[in-house]
Amino acid sequence: MKGTIALAAGAAMAMGAPPALAQIAAQSGPQTAQAEEPSTGLSTTSSTGSSLTAITGIDYSSGDYGTGSDTHIFVVPMSLRYRTGQLRFTATLPWLRINGSSAIVGGGSGGVIIDPDAPRTTRSGLGDLTLGVGYQIPEEQFGFGLDLSARVKLPTASRSRALGTGKTDVTVAAEISKSFGAITPFANLGYRMPGDPSGFNLHNGWTASGGASMMLGKSALIASYDYREATSDLARDSRELFGAFSTPVVKKLTFTLYGTAGLSKGAADYGVGSMISLKL
């Protein structure tokens, strides 16, 4: 690949999904590929016992990310989440298909690094393995919910095929929430520390999200505004709107449908996806 490689934004399940989507995961099971992000917004009471959940789905996004040519990203995540008490552990390995500028590389979250000379290609394969841990403090303890989390993205994706940067990334985040009956406003703040590929200068970046969830019986609606700071001076910050609906299908199976709308050059123009989670 010529010139500068890029970290792609917009693939909600493989490349740093909106923190809001993990809100639904806390209550009803489904999660994104970056499900290590905070998830207290819909779950403000203490958890007891242990559970293992398998999550998969599909995600499609499209946008030019400032390159002048649309890039289409299709993701199939494969995730496991283990929860014990207030602790949760997650592991995710996505399959990616990217059709567009080779200046956009899968396996990152937020922003793109643009090489105007990069050719258009189609590439596919397994993405980076992400491991995460989170700790949830229930609302009754402090009067508001608090969730602390960290995740590590390991460079298992092929850099030569533009599926990953070949470096380890680390993200830490905190989220607060407060329930008012069926409605739970939340605010999230995160900090991403990408590894530096040889010959390229990436810098750390902030993420933020604010929104609310609403319980409708056993189902949930959620909406948020999400911001991700670009990780390169050549990239654009990502700003987007997010909305989702999650509902149980049977006792141990939950279905989620979601969508995004980009508000800046650094975000996908739009994204749609669905997830299924099965409690094992």
Side-chain angles (χ1 to χ4, degrees), residues 12-276:
M13 290 195 250
M15 292 168 241
L21 189 52
Q23 304 286 332
I24 289 176
Q27 176 69 18
S28 52
Q31 290 197 346
T32 68
Q34 302 299 356
E36 303 78 14
E37 297 187 40
S39 56
T40 60
L42 291 177
S43 183
T44 56
T45 58
S46 299
S47 299
T48 59
S50 300
S51 64
L52 179 65
T53 303
I55 307 105
T56 190
I58 55 174
D59 180 277
Y60 174 81
S61 61
S62 178
D64 66 13
Y65 304 98
T67 64
S69 175
D70 283 346
T71 292
H72 312 286
I73 304 174
F74 181 76
V75 186
V76 179
M78 297 167 283
S79 302
L80 285 175
R81 181 191 65 204
Y82 177 72
R83 182 186 294 274
T84 177
Q86 293 168 215
L87 272 173
R88 67 180 181 276
F89 302 92
T90 56
T92 299
L93 185 64
W95 181 87
L96 314 173
R97 185 181 187 275
I98 305 175
N99 174 254
S101 170
S102 56
I104 296 179
V105 176
S109 62
V112 292
I113 304 166
I114 299 169
D115 172 10
D117 297 322
R120 186 177 185 89
T121 63
T122 298
R123 58 271 191 199
S124 61
L126 291 177
D128 291 316
L129 174 66
T130 300
L131 302 177
V133 60
Y135 184 76
Q136 185 181 80
I137 300 175
E139 188 170 307
E140 59 263 27
Q141 189 164 337
F142 296 131
F144 59 88
L146 177 63
D147 191 277
L148 305 174
S149 66
R151 69 175 184 267
V152 177
K153 188 209 73 177
L154 301 176
T156 56
S158 169
R159 177 177 174 179
S160 63
R161 294 162 62 191
L163 295 174
T165 65
K167 294 295 181 179
T168 297
D169 299 346
V170 178
T171 300
V172 294
E175 184 174 276
I176 61 172
S177 59
K178 174 68 176 178
S179 296
F180 299 93
I183 299 176
T184 303
F186 60 87
N188 171 287
L189 184 66
Y191 193 63
R192 298 178 295 120
M193 295 165 278
D196 266 340
S198 177
F200 306 105
N201 183 28
L202 305 185
H203 55 70
N204 300 343
W206 292 96
T207 67
S209 180
S213 60
M214 176 184 292
M215 298 305 301
L216 303 172
K218 295 182 179 180
S219 301
L221 285 172
I222 190 166
S224 72
Y225 170 86
D226 300 309
Y227 167 81
R228 290 187 294 272
E229 185 180 8
T231 54
S232 166
D233 293 336
L234 298 177
R236 310 287 184 90
D237 293 347
S238 172
R239 298 177 177 86
E240 64 183 12
L241 297 177
F242 171 86
F245 173 74
S246 182
T247 188
V249 178
V250 293
K251 183 177 180 181
K252 295 185 176 182
L253 188 68
T254 303
F255 175 74
T256 299
L257 183 68
Y258 64 90
T260 65
L263 302 177
S264 70
K265 289 289 187 179
D269 294 337
Y270 67 92
V272 293
S274 62
M275 297 183 298
I276 293 177

